[in-house]
Amino acid sequence: MASGGASLALAALLLVGCVAAAAATKYTVGDASGWTTSGDYATWASGKKFKVGDTLEFKYAGGAHTVDEVSAADYAACSSSNALSSDSAGSTTVTLKTAGKHYFICGVAGHCSSGMKLVVNVAAAKSSAPAPAPAPAVASAPDAADTTPDATPATTPKSPSSSGGATSKTPVTVLSPPAKKSTSGAAGLSAAAWAGLGLAGLVAVHLGAF
Ligand SMILES: [Cu+2]
């Protein structure tokens, strides 16, 4: 069961990784027309769902244009004097690293005002960590839970009993999930876990008494 749980978790991680890798999209700005004064980049961008991790590829004749990322105000004013980044090599690839709007203009005089400007609205990447770890820990198999630092005390720690250490082997796992891994990790147990152990021990004693 331990290997089954581990391989299941590994498969889940691999699946998440593959989905994340496949989800990144590479866009060629303007498609076949490329980055040019005759482009209509508002139309090109409309309907596209940009997200963090996607890349924009600007294709143009090197030196004839630039790709300047600018602020919203500079985008509106067609000013590249405070550009966040600039490139004129002829093939500029920009990775969209943050969510929100990103503004690009050509810094050559007159080009931006004639339409060589692009704004993309970047959505946050899909939840990259859907937290697959807790699932196998809660399911069953105490041996699969030993790698999970899941220290959520299900029981409210009342007065810590003195017989906490002696009950580590008693079958109280149903009542106290954190107590499953108590045998080996005594040093790592938190005070709350010890309190849970003591409470579980008390409950076990009471159950046995009746
Ligand atoms: Cu230009």
Side-chain angles (χ1 to χ4, degrees):
M1 193 59 191
S3 62
S7 58
L8 189 67
L10 184 61
L13 281 177
L14 284 175
L15 184 65
V16 169
C18 289
V19 168
T25 306
K26 181 188 238 179
Y27 294 96
T28 298
V29 175
D31 294 321
S33 302
W35 186 231
T36 168
T37 51
S38 58
D40 180 354
Y41 301 103
T43 298
W44 176 82
S46 67
K48 291 184 172 63
K49 306 278 189 184
F50 302 97
K51 60 190 177 307
V52 169
D54 289 350
T55 54
L56 299 177
E57 197 169 18
F58 296 79
K59 291 184 173 174
Y60 53 97
H65 303 287
T66 72
V67 177
D68 298 346
E69 183 166 2
V70 298
S71 67
D74 284 351
Y75 175 86
C78 277
S79 168
S80 59
S81 54
N82 297 308
L84 307 171
S85 67
S86 181
D87 187 56
S88 60
S91 181
T92 303
T93 299
V94 175
T95 300
L96 301 170
K97 294 176 181 169
T98 58
K101 288 189 174 180
H102 293 253
Y103 303 88
F104 303 93
I105 66 174
C106 177
V108 175
H111 287 197
C112 172
S113 55
S114 66
M116 219 171 164
K117 57 199 297 185
L118 166 70
V119 54
V120 294
N121 197 358
V122 180
K126 295 270 172 64
S127 58
S128 56
V138 179
S140 62
D143 49 357
D146 55 1
T147 56
T148 309
D150 191 355
T152 50
T155 57
T156 51
K158 289 180 182 176
S159 60
S161 173
S162 60
S163 63
T167 63
S168 59
K169 282 295 203 175
T170 54
V172 297
T173 54
V174 178
L175 297 171
S176 169
K180 286 176 183 175
K181 53 180 179 176
S182 62
T183 50
S184 60
L189 278 180
S190 66
W194 276 115
L197 256 181
L199 185 63
L202 275 179
V203 171
V205 168
H206 280 258
L207 284 177
F210 285 119

